[in-house]
């Protein structure tokens, strides 16, 4: 297979898959996810990606926010792997190749930030005082915001019209998707923080 054919194969082969819970879902759990997703920028995407986890979220704000970050992380890892494979391809336009290389760095930083935020959420039950909670919650918000910034940095690297073509189109399509997921995750993290401060939620 020629180099050009290999590039096209890379554009087609990788698909996203996130395993869903098989448990029967309580309608109240579904309604909770739908209502919560209305606070996000992309509510339809939010419902589509999180409703499959409604039975494990169990109408809990912390679990909802953590699940949203985990979904974003899974997609960020998939996108990062995809772009890394592109960077190892030959036959790319030099300008496109440089943008892909820069995007690899941005996505590595993105994945690291989302990993840190998921780990912080995993320890959230230890943070009982309000001041300690706010400190760690601020860390989570900063990391998710940083991940979103790195995703946007990758996309901006392909803004030049001279890069137009199948590689740019595929990268931008995937980056738009994962950025929308991360934007939603950040909205749900902020929602959790506000509701916790107002005493309307608890940490399990």
């Amino acid at each position: 297979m020629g180099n050009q054919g290999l590039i096209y194969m890379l554009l087609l082969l990788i698909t996203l898959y996130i395993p869903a819970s098989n448990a029967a879902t309580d309608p109240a759990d579904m309604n909770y996810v739908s209502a919560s997703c209305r606070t996000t920028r992309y509510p339809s995407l939010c419902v589509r990606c999180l409703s499959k986890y409604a039975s494990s979220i169990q109408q809990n704000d912390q679990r909802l926010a953590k699940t949203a970050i985990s979904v974003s992380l899974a997609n960020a890892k998939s996108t990062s792997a995809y772009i890394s494979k592109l960077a190892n391809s030959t036959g790319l336009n030099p300008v496109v190749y440089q943008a892909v290389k820069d995007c690899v760095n941005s996505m590595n930083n993105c994945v690291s930030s989302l990993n840190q935020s998921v780990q912080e959420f995993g320890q959230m039950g230890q943070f009982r005082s309000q001041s300690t909670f706010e400190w760690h919650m601020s860390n989570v918000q900063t990391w998710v915001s940083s991940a979103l910034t790195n995703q946007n940095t990758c996309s901006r690297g392909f803004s030049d019209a001279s890069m137009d073509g199948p590689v740019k189109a595929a990268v931008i399509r995937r980056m738009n998707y994962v950025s929308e997921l991360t934007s939603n995750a950040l909205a749900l993290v902020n929602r959790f923080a506000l509701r916790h401060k107002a005493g309307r939620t608890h940490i399990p």
Side-chain angles (χ1 to χ4, degrees), residues 101-112:
K101 280 188 64 179
D102 291 342
C103 190
V104 169
N105 292 331
S106 294
M107 288 306 296
N108 285 341
N109 292 334
C110 164
V111 168
S112 176

Side-chain angles (χ1 to χ4, degrees), residues 138-160:
S138 176
N139 288 340
V140 172
Q141 290 168 313
T142 298
W143 288 326
V144 180
S145 294
S146 175
L148 186 58
T149 297
N150 277 291
Q151 292 162 8
N152 291 335
T153 297
C154 171
S155 296
R156 286 196 300 271
F158 291 86
S159 60
D160 197 303

Side-chain angles (χ1 to χ4, degrees), residues 55-133:
S55 60
S56 59
I57 291 169
Q58 296 181 330
Q59 304 178 52
N60 180 275
D61 295 334
Q62 181 190 351
R63 292 194 189 104
L64 176 67
K66 184 180 178 182
T67 301
I69 297 174
S70 297
V71 170
S72 176
L73 174 59
N75 280 271
K77 285 180 176 178
S78 173
T79 300
S80 180
Y82 172 78
I83 295 171
S84 293
K85 287 188 177 183
L86 278 180
N88 291 326
S89 303
T90 56
L92 290 175
N93 176 301
V95 178
V96 172
Y97 175 69
Q98 186 59 53
V100 169
K101 280 188 64 179
D102 291 342
C103 190
V104 169
N105 292 331
S106 294
M107 288 306 296
N108 285 341
N109 292 334
C110 164
V111 168
S112 176
S113 293
L114 291 174
N115 262 321
Q116 287 179 296
S117 63
V118 169
Q119 290 170 11
E120 192 82 359
F121 256 115
Q123 303 171 16
M124 196 67 77
Q126 303 172 24
F127 311 144
R128 294 301 177 184
S129 73
Q130 183 64 27
S131 60
T132 304
F133 171 85

